Amino acid sequence: MPRLLAFAASLRRDSFNRRLLPVLVAGARDAGAEVTVVDLADYPLPIYDGDLESASGMPAPAQALLALLATHDGLLLATPEYNGFFPPLLKNTLDWMSRPEPDGSSGLRHFRNKPAAIATASPGGFGGLRSQQATRQLLANLGMFVLPEAVTVSQAGKAFAEDGSLTDGRLNDSARALGARLAAVATQLASR
């Protein structure tokens, strides 16, 4: 059974991407994955600063996130789009996690060759597509295999039903299928 780490790259309580994440997670769990969902609000990090790193090392929240990633087979991510890119929260979190660990080993080793799936929800008409492209490049730079499949939810303010599902049945099925696809790829890669 694959283990997936999942989070939304938003701290806003009513974030569309926080609402999208459970749909993705349900698909992964239905496909047999064990999914650990984390809230980045529980892992506060300062803005990356090389002087701070030199003085204090990797902050404890980044170490905790990296330890979680080390014990999981893939990453399931729902991220907003800020001015056509991923949010600073995502970049800062991944920047800290990719730094050398306290023992000097590379944090990047926990990203390498693991699959990742990206979904975006946005109030705009493109559904966060530009953010997805930038996020895809960022994760690939860290050594992850990013699934070519992705989900974009446009007009996100109108996209969710009271029960948390997406009102568009096909889109809801696609989001669940993305979680299931990540579970399948993680299983294949872990068996190698």
Side-chain angles (χ1 to χ4, degrees):
M1 171 168 51
R3 298 187 74 215
L4 304 176
L5 181 64
F7 63 83
S10 177
L11 298 178
R12 191 170 65 89
R13 187 177 334 113
D14 295 324
S15 160
F16 299 129
N17 288 280
R18 282 179 176 249
R19 295 174 73 185
L20 177 57
L21 190 64
V23 181
L24 303 163
V25 168
R29 286 181 173 151
D30 285 351
E34 177 184 328
V35 184
T36 303
V37 179
V38 297
D39 184 341
L40 292 183
D42 295 332
Y43 298 87
L45 291 166
I47 297 296
Y48 176 77
D49 175 347
D51 291 337
L52 178 62
E53 180 185 17
S54 293
S56 306
M58 183 185 285
Q63 291 179 43
L65 283 170
L66 195 57
L68 279 170
L69 182 61
T71 62
H72 288 75
D73 303 307
L75 177 64
L76 186 55
L77 177 63
T79 183
E81 178 176 281
Y82 291 3
N83 296 317
F85 286 90
F86 43 71
L89 173 66
L90 177 61
K91 179 76 165 72
N92 191 59
T93 299
L94 296 177
D95 284 348
W96 273 116
M97 289 173 68
S98 66
R99 301 304 302 155
E101 296 181 76
D103 67 3
S105 59
S106 173
L108 286 173
R109 66 194 172 106
H110 300 300
F111 291 89
R112 287 193 187 112
N113 301 316
K114 288 185 179 178
I118 305 167
T120 52
S122 169
F126 293 115
L129 181 62
R130 295 172 298 176
S131 172
Q132 264 187 25
Q133 293 167 340
T135 303
R136 179 177 301 282
Q137 181 178 352
L138 174 61
L139 295 175
N141 288 348
L142 296 173
M144 299 194 91
F145 167 68
V146 184
L147 298 185
E149 301 92 340
V151 169
T152 58
V153 179
S154 61
Q155 308 299 318
K158 304 173 191 172
F160 293 92
E162 288 294 321
D163 67 0
S165 66
L166 291 158
T167 56
D168 180 327
R170 287 187 302 177
L171 186 56
N172 194 74
D173 291 347
S174 292
R176 292 176 65 91
L178 180 61
R181 175 76 175 131
L182 180 62
V185 171
T187 299
Q188 291 170 343
L189 291 175
S191 68
R192 289 184 176 179

